[in-house]
């Protein structure tokens, strides 16, 4: 599978991209630029879309963790749904604080993921795709039909916005920073995990399952760990999404949404943290802008996916080291 | 309405649904068995078949059977082209092939939205009237739809059983390396299998389109059903697709008549999870998940 063929090179790409000090400067510039956006742009719509990018990036990073052990999950949106509805219930019905809701979202989606993963991670490849698809449909139907709790097809509105020490995060800029902080925390946490022995075990599972097993690595345990962590990130993203939009309905967590998340991952680069963020940044704004010409733009989107798959199988992120190469070569001359 | 009437009508509805499901699932499972591609765009070929029949039969007034033949041919040829153009580079690469089909699906739905518009098209029924026997009243259109599906199935069975290419396809499903050693050219078999597979989806759309509404998003539900059928029947198994297709149709028809649609949805996905846990390769499946 190409998974195997592409992942080592992307790992190298990630290391090259982030390891050396020279690039910390570039990283700092990007960070400052991102942090300064709300000071320059005050259009609430743009800030809303930018916030959605951060939240999607968190969910796609979760998907990337699962892809790291060689699995593709169509249940990522469903786990975001579990997180979103749990968080809304905890804050609305039980009157708890936003942060309690976020923690409940992470915990609930992690628990469901442990159960599902325990039962189904025996299957791999396309079989796991089908299992996760069936699960995603069940969650969607549950959200749709369990009306007393979920509000059915209409959904739930009037979700409370986060409130810290009496200050409500109501403005676009406020939530922008909240989501940005969450993304940065997730980014460094996942980076630490991937650099740890567990991360190495994940790569070995993806690289060669049998060999990893023969080396005494408990492959199922690591697959379960990656799946649980990845799904928990979906729960976190779902919770942030719910309190951002202040409205949720089952449609936001349908399997077609999961397909979009997969496309973000593939476009960005399937085993790269930066790639996951880039993918979210490229795809999320598409349906939000140019609503009038949505079909044409979706067609273009589909074509871009085919082209990236064919000619850039490691995603947009694999352009970065190439660009750098060109740059250093140009400087040498 | 007495009990017998309800039972017979539920049975017929189940068979019509079941025939739609197996027509969808056969192509889907064949494409997977031979090319190892989970084709997320399979439902889009169903949608294309339905629009083609509403144009040829509904607007051009070409006789229904002739129109259906043309639809099958057109969709099949389209499939051959799509296979060469889009799937060929991903041979032997399950996950990238699947993702390519996702891209293809997005393109097809949106092209249909641009060309045909979002609102449903109405297609005239190909036969009118009802068949009466005592208290039992059955619409002819459903009886004919079911019969056509069975005819297509029997034709396919003959093809796969007795022709040279049918044998080559079965050989490729069983063991691609061994098939290649016997001189089977996968560059011929792949486009042919994909063409035939999606041709069934197109014919299913052509037969069923007039019974339901025709719109660009209509492919999603049959795709989901094809998924369920092949999971239960076994990915790559044609027999499994037929048995599980009819089974699912009957199951859906009876449970929704007696317990309601919501219960049916839950039950079938619970069934899917149960099958995956007990026998992950499905009832008739033999292809193992590659590690």
């Amino acid at each position: 599978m190409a998974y195997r063929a592409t992942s080592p090179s992307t790992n190298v790409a990630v290391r090259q991209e982030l390891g050396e000090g020279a690039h910390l400067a570039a990283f700092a510039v990007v960070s400052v630029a991102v942090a300064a956006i709300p000071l320059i742009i005050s259009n609430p719509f743009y800030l809303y879309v930018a916030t959605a990018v951060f939240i999607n990036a968190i969910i796609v990073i979760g998907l990337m963790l699962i892809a790291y052990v060689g699995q593709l999950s169509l249940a990522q949106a469903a786990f975001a749904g579990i997180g979103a509805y749990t968080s809304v219930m905890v804050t609305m019905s039980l009157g708890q604080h936003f942060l309690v809701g976020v923690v409940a979202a992470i915990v609930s989606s992690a628990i469901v993921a442990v159960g599902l993963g325990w039962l189904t991670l025996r299957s791999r490849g396309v079989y796991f795709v089908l299992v996760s698809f069936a699960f995603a449909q069940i969650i969607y139907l549950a959200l749709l039909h369990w009306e007393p709790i979920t509000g059915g097809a209409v959904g739930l509105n009037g979700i409370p916005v986060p409130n810290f020490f009496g200050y409500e995060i109501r403005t676009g800029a406020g939530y922008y920073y909240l989501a940005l902080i969450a993304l940065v925390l997730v980014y460094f946490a996942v980076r630490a995990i991937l650099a740890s022995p567990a991360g190495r075990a994940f790569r070995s599972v993806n690289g060669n399952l049998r060999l990893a097993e023969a080396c005494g690595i408990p492959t199922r345990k690591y697959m379960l760990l990656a799946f649980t962590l990845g799904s928990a990130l979906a729960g976190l993203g779902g919770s942030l999404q719910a309190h951002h939009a202040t409205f949720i309905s089952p449609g936001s967590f349908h399997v077609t949404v999961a397909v979009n998340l997969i496309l973000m991952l593939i476009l960005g680069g399937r085993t790269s943290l930066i790639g996951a963020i880039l993918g979210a940044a490229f795809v999320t704004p598409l349906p939000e802008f140019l609503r009038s010409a949505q079909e044409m733009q979706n067609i273009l989107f589909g074509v871009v996916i085919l082209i990236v798959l064919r000619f850039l199988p490691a995603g947009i992120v694999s352009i970065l080291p190439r660009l750098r190469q060109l740059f250093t070569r140009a400087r040498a001359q | 309405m007495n009990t017998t009437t309800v039972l017979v009508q539920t049975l017929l509805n189940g068979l019509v649904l079941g025939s739609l499901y197996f027509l969808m699932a056969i192509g889907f499972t064949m494409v997977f068995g031979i090319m190892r591609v989970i084709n997320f765009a399979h439902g889009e070929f169903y949608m294309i078949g339905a629009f083609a029949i509403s144009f040829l039969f509904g607007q051009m007034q070409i006789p229904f059977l002739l129109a259906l033949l043309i639809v099958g041919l057109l969709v099949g040829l389209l499939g051959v082209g799509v296979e060469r153009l889009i799937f060929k580079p991903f041979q032997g690469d399950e996950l990238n092939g699947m993702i390519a089909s996702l891209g293809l699906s997005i393109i097809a739905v949106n092209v249909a939205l641009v060309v045909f518009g979002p609102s449903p098209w109405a297609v005239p029924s190909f036969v009118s009237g009802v068949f009466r026997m005592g208290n039992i009243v059955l619409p002819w259109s459903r009886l004919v739809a079911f019969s056509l599906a069975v005819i297509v199935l029997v034709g396919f069975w003959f093809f796969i059983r007795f022709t040279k290419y049918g044998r080559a396809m079965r050989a490729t499903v069983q063991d691609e390396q061994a098939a290649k050693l016997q001189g089977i050219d996968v560059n011929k078999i792949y486009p042919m299998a994909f063409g035939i597979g999606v041709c069934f989806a197109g014919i299913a759309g052509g037969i069923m389109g007039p019974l339901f509404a025709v719109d660009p998003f209509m492919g999603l539900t049959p795709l989901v059903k094809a998924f369920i059928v092949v999971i239960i029947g076994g990915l790559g198994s044609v027999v499994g697709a037929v048995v599980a297709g009819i089974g699912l149709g009957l199951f859906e028809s009876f449970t929704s008549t007696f317990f309601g649609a919501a219960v049916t949805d839950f039950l079938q996905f619970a069934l899917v999870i149960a099958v995956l846990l007990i026998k992950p390769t499905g009832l008739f499946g033999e292809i193992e998940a590659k590690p």
Side-chain angles (χ1 to χ4, degrees):
Chain A
M1 271 184 275
Y3 251 44
R4 243 174 260 158
T6 58
S7 53
S9 64
T10 26
N11 292 335
V12 172
V14 171
R15 245 173 280 138
Q16 284 178 340
E17 214 175 283
L18 299 168
E20 294 105 33
H23 302 289
L24 280 176
F27 195 67
V29 169
V30 173
S31 312
V32 170
V34 169
I37 284 178
L39 304 176
I40 303 155
I41 297 168
S42 57
N43 183 334
F45 176 68
Y46 292 156
L47 283 182
Y48 185 93
V49 173
T51 309
V53 167
F54 297 151
I55 295 172
N56 276 339
I58 292 173
I59 302 176
V60 177
I61 287 175
L63 199 59
M64 186 217 69
L65 264 178
I66 302 170
Y68 228 79
V69 291
Q71 300 281 39
L72 207 56
S73 171
L74 270 175
Q76 195 70 353
F79 279 106
I82 293 172
Y85 277 87
T86 307
S87 177
V88 167
M89 263 175 255
V90 166
T91 51
M92 276 178 93
S93 312
L94 304 177
Q96 294 296 319
H97 189 259
F98 162 75
L99 285 179
V100 179
V102 168
V103 171
I106 295 172
V107 171
S108 64
S109 46
I111 290 173
V112 177
V114 168
L116 181 72
W118 182 261
L119 289 172
T120 62
L121 278 170
R122 272 181 306 175
S123 47
R124 285 179 65 75
V126 289
Y127 287 85
F128 186 76
V129 174
L130 291 180
V131 176
S132 61
F133 168 80
F135 174 76
Q137 278 291 330
I138 290 192
I139 294 296
Y140 175 74
L141 291 170
L143 295 179
L144 201 61
H145 293 303
W146 198 10
E147 261 174 58
I149 303 284
T150 65
V154 186
L156 298 167
N157 55 28
I159 297 168
V161 294
N163 179 328
F164 291 101
F165 312 111
Y167 291 103
E168 285 193 331
I169 299 193
R170 222 172 246 299
T171 64
Y175 214 100
Y176 176 95
Y177 285 119
L178 180 73
L180 180 61
I181 291 167
L183 175 61
V184 169
L185 290 178
V186 165
Y187 175 84
F188 283 108
V190 172
R191 228 184 127 192
I193 291 170
L194 294 182
S196 73
R200 211 174 310 141
F202 290 168
R203 280 190 285 278
S204 76
V205 170
N206 187 22
N208 190 331
L209 185 70
R210 295 252 162 87
L211 183 62
E213 239 159 39
C215 293
I217 295 167
T219 56
R220 265 193 77 182
K221 214 179 87 187
Y222 279 113
M223 265 203 246
L224 189 60
L225 180 65
F227 182 64
T228 306
L229 288 172
S231 304
L233 286 181
L236 167 64
S239 164
L240 290 175
Q241 195 183 322
H243 293 277
H244 182 217
T246 68
F247 161 78
I248 47 172
S249 69
S252 312
F253 309 106
H254 191 247
V255 77
T256 46
V257 177
V259 168
N260 266 336
L261 293 170
I262 287 183
L263 297 177
M264 289 179 199
L265 180 70
I266 302 301
L267 279 184
R270 57 190 86 178
T271 49
S272 156
L273 254 173
I274 297 286
I277 298 169
L278 283 180
F282 271 94
V283 178
T284 310
L286 276 182
E288 305 289 345
F289 292 104
L290 296 162
R291 277 194 184 278
S292 52
Q294 196 159 2
E295 292 88 15
M296 291 316 282
Q297 141 200 306
N298 279 338
I299 293 170
L300 189 72
F301 181 39
V303 173
V304 168
I305 285 159
L306 293 177
I307 291 173
V308 167
L309 262 187
R310 179 84 175 77
F311 301 104
L312 268 182
I316 303 170
V317 75
S318 62
I319 299 176
L320 294 178
R322 285 188 208 180
L323 281 181
R324 215 186 44 188
Q325 240 170 21
L326 283 179
F327 184 66
T328 42
R329 208 177 296 159
R331 214 167 36 179
Q333 287 168 357
Chain B
M1 290 255 270
N2 59 25
T3 326
T4 331
T5 320
V6 174
L7 279 180
V8 172
Q9 279 176 357
T10 312
L11 184 75
L12 180 74
N13 284 338
L15 287 176
V16 172
L17 270 183
S19 61
L20 162 65
Y21 295 165
F22 77 63
L23 276 185
M24 287 300 288
I26 284 177
F28 186 78
T29 211
M30 201 169 93
V31 167
F32 181 77
I34 292 173
M35 297 169 53
R36 303 199 65 90
V37 166
I38 295 274
N39 181 15
F40 271 86
H42 199 65
E44 272 53 84
F45 290 95
Y46 172 86
M47 177 263 292
I48 292 168
F51 271 112
I53 205 85
S54 57
F55 178 73
L56 290 173
F57 170 68
Q59 297 191 358
M60 307 279 289
Q61 316 257 312
I62 296 172
F64 182 74
L65 284 179
L66 181 65
L68 193 63
L69 207 67
I70 299 172
V71 168
L73 224 72
L74 279 179
V75 176
L77 284 175
L78 182 68
V80 171
V82 161
E83 196 280 335
R84 289 288 87 181
L85 198 70
I86 292 173
F87 290 100
K88 189 167 175 277
F90 305 113
Q91 269 178 20
D93 183 351
E94 288 179 19
L95 284 170
N96 277 341
M98 186 192 87
I99 297 159
S101 78
L102 286 172
L104 178 64
S105 161
I106 293 173
I107 295 173
V109 169
N110 288 287
V111 168
L113 273 171
V114 171
V115 178
F116 306 118
S119 43
W121 285 24
V123 187
S125 188
F126 42 82
V127 271
S128 53
V130 290
F131 168 81
R132 277 171 202 280
M133 204 173 77
N135 278 334
I136 300 162
V137 181
L138 303 171
W140 270 115
S141 59
R142 297 201 163 221
L143 287 170
V144 174
F146 176 66
S147 318
L148 282 173
V150 172
I151 291 168
V152 171
L153 177 66
V154 171
F156 175 67
W157 186 77
F158 269 99
F159 168 79
I160 203 91
R161 198 83 213 153
F162 298 114
T163 66
K164 184 180 145 195
Y165 289 112
R167 264 197 291 270
M169 280 180 195
R170 278 187 292 141
T172 315
V173 173
Q174 279 173 6
D175 189 332
E176 193 178 308
Q177 290 303 321
K180 277 183 188 161
L181 284 173
Q182 303 298 316
I184 291 170
D185 182 2
V186 292
N187 278 325
K188 265 188 202 152
I189 294 300
Y190 278 22
M192 193 186 288
F194 195 85
I196 293 175
V198 300
C199 157
F200 283 149
I203 288 179
I207 297 174
M208 301 299 163
L211 302 186
F212 308 104
V214 177
D215 68 66
F217 301 106
M218 69 186 295
L220 184 64
T221 309
L223 176 74
V224 171
K225 300 300 179 185
F227 262 43
I228 297 172
V229 168
V230 297
I231 292 175
I232 296 174
L235 208 46
S237 161
V238 171
V239 179
V242 176
V243 174
I246 293 281
L248 183 70
L250 291 173
F251 176 84
E252 240 187 77
S253 177
F254 278 97
T255 49
S256 63
T257 307
F258 297 111
F259 304 106
V263 177
T264 311
D265 284 349
F266 269 115
L267 281 179
Q268 52 181 284
F269 283 106
L271 189 69
V272 164
I273 295 273
V275 167
L276 282 167
L277 292 178
I278 297 161
K279 199 169 179 302
T281 52
L283 300 181
F284 296 85
E286 281 156 13
I287 301 173
E288 286 291 332
K290 275 187 189 161

